[in-house]
Amino acid sequence: MSNWRFVISKRWFGYLAVAVVFAVVCVLLSNWQVSRLEEKRLENSRVLDNYEDDPVPLDDVLRSLDAWNDDQEWTPVLLTGTYLEEEQVLVRNRPRNGQPGFEVLTPLQLPDGRVFVVDRGWLPTGSAQDLPDVVPDPPAGDVTVTARLKPGEPALTGRGAAEGQIATVELSQFDERIDAPVYTAAYGLMASETPAPAEDRPLPAFKPELDEGSHLSYALQWIVFGLLGFAFLGYAIREEYRHLNAEDPAEQARAAARERKRVAKRSDADVEDDILDASVR
């Protein structure tokens, strides 16, 4: 036992502290990946529960202008009103299949004056690089829209946008510009509109994929990394023990036994390679 006393030192306690801190960090990162997995599963359940439902009147889902519940995401709603084309804006930096582009947000004014923002779809960046080549006009007059609910997005600090564009779907910006009550907690991804526009409408949003991602495997990997930290510490202790006790007869006997096992495991091909290497030298 006295041969192991070197472990009881500030140096090795320091190494142990590093291994413990590393393991704690790995556990925290693993838990973060598990929480990401739970969030993804919850998102998938909302898609399964709501996406294919029959559309219902907007008032049946959103009881007030600032009402929102995460369980309402992807719920199809039915609206009738008139597009406020002059208040239409583009949301910049919206890639689709790796191609840069814009989302087209057009406020829809309901018969009672309230305004609900509709995302009419996606347009690619045009030759000018900061605008689509063409922004199709929305249908004029009364229109009936089916849209799937999405929560508004927060403001992005330090992100600006050109005239007629916004950096994120920050619905409060519409409330500031439009002289009418605006829904500020949710907007809608268009599924259909009647009558159809005279020009091709922007590309509709993709149906979200039901994919849990790699969060579970990442969580397990972080646990393995934490355990490997202690395994490496044990290996380092063992190597130093062998170095410090190289002259000890008992350790020499163990080293000889390990060498015999190593030689016994060598194949004939390994022996032939050693002979060839020796002849070359």
Side-chain angles (χ1 to χ4, degrees):
M1 179 64 183
S2 60
N3 293 338
W4 292 94
R5 285 184 176 176
F6 72 91
V7 178
I8 308 175
S9 66
K10 290 183 178 180
R11 179 166 63 94
W12 282 105
F13 278 126
Y15 293 158
L16 176 61
V18 171
V20 170
V21 171
F22 177 71
V24 169
V25 171
C26 288
V27 169
L28 292 176
L29 289 171
S30 177
N31 289 339
W32 176 65
Q33 288 293 343
V34 170
S35 66
R36 292 286 305 278
L37 174 62
E38 293 302 319
E39 290 174 2
K40 190 61 179 177
R41 286 175 174 171
L42 184 58
E43 290 175 9
N44 290 343
S45 69
R46 289 172 185 151
V47 174
L48 291 172
D49 292 341
N50 300 333
Y51 196 89
E52 299 295 346
D53 284 354
D54 292 332
V56 296
L58 179 64
D59 289 338
D60 290 357
V61 184
L62 301 180
R63 303 292 184 178
S64 64
L65 297 176
D66 58 356
W68 177 252
N69 185 310
D70 287 338
D71 291 336
Q72 297 168 336
E73 188 172 10
W74 303 113
T75 300
V77 294
L78 195 63
L79 313 98
T80 298
T82 304
Y83 282 122
L84 303 179
E85 184 178 357
E86 67 279 5
E87 300 294 347
Q88 179 172 278
V89 298
L90 301 175
V91 189
R92 58 185 298 108
N93 296 325
R94 296 284 163 151
R96 180 185 173 111
N97 289 335
Q99 183 177 3
F102 302 82
E103 299 285 341
V104 182
L105 298 185
T106 312
L108 181 74
Q109 188 155 40
L110 309 181
D112 62 3
R114 290 174 299 164
V115 174
F116 183 80
V117 176
V118 177
D119 184 338
R120 299 189 61 247
W122 181 88
L123 295 172
T125 298
S127 56
Q129 297 301 314
D130 59 351
L131 282 172
D133 286 334
V134 176
V135 180
D137 294 331
D142 290 341
V143 61
T144 299
V145 175
T146 299
R148 291 184 172 91
L149 294 180
K150 291 286 290 180
E153 298 174 2
L156 297 177
T157 304
R159 289 279 297 275
E163 182 68 25
Q165 300 179 15
I166 55 178
T168 182
V169 186
E170 185 185 357
L171 299 173
S172 60
Q173 293 193 33
F174 291 93
D175 190 38
E176 294 169 359
R177 295 194 337 235
I178 299 175
D179 187 19
V182 178
Y183 283 88
T184 55
Y187 69 105
L189 295 179
M190 176 177 303
S192 66
E193 59 185 356
T194 305
E199 305 174 70
D200 290 339
R201 55 165 286 197
L203 294 177
F206 291 124
K207 180 178 180 178
E209 295 183 1
L210 301 179
D211 181 14
E212 293 186 355
S214 303
H215 301 300
L216 180 58
S217 62
Y218 290 154
L220 295 176
Q221 286 176 21
W222 281 117
I223 294 297
V224 171
F225 290 157
L227 294 175
L228 286 177
F230 289 107
F232 180 77
L233 179 65
Y235 172 79
I237 292 173
R238 181 61 179 169
E239 288 301 302
E240 181 154 337
Y241 170 84
R242 290 175 178 175
H243 174 73
L244 295 177
N245 296 277
E247 304 301 324
D248 182 72
E251 180 58 29
Q252 290 178 348
R254 286 191 288 270
R258 289 194 297 272
E259 180 62 19
R260 286 194 297 272
K261 287 183 179 180
R262 186 186 69 81
V263 172
K265 291 180 179 178
R266 289 168 58 81
S267 66
D268 292 341
D270 293 329
V271 175
E272 292 175 0
D273 289 342
D274 289 344
I275 294 173
L276 289 174
D277 290 341
S279 64
V280 170
R281 288 196 292 268

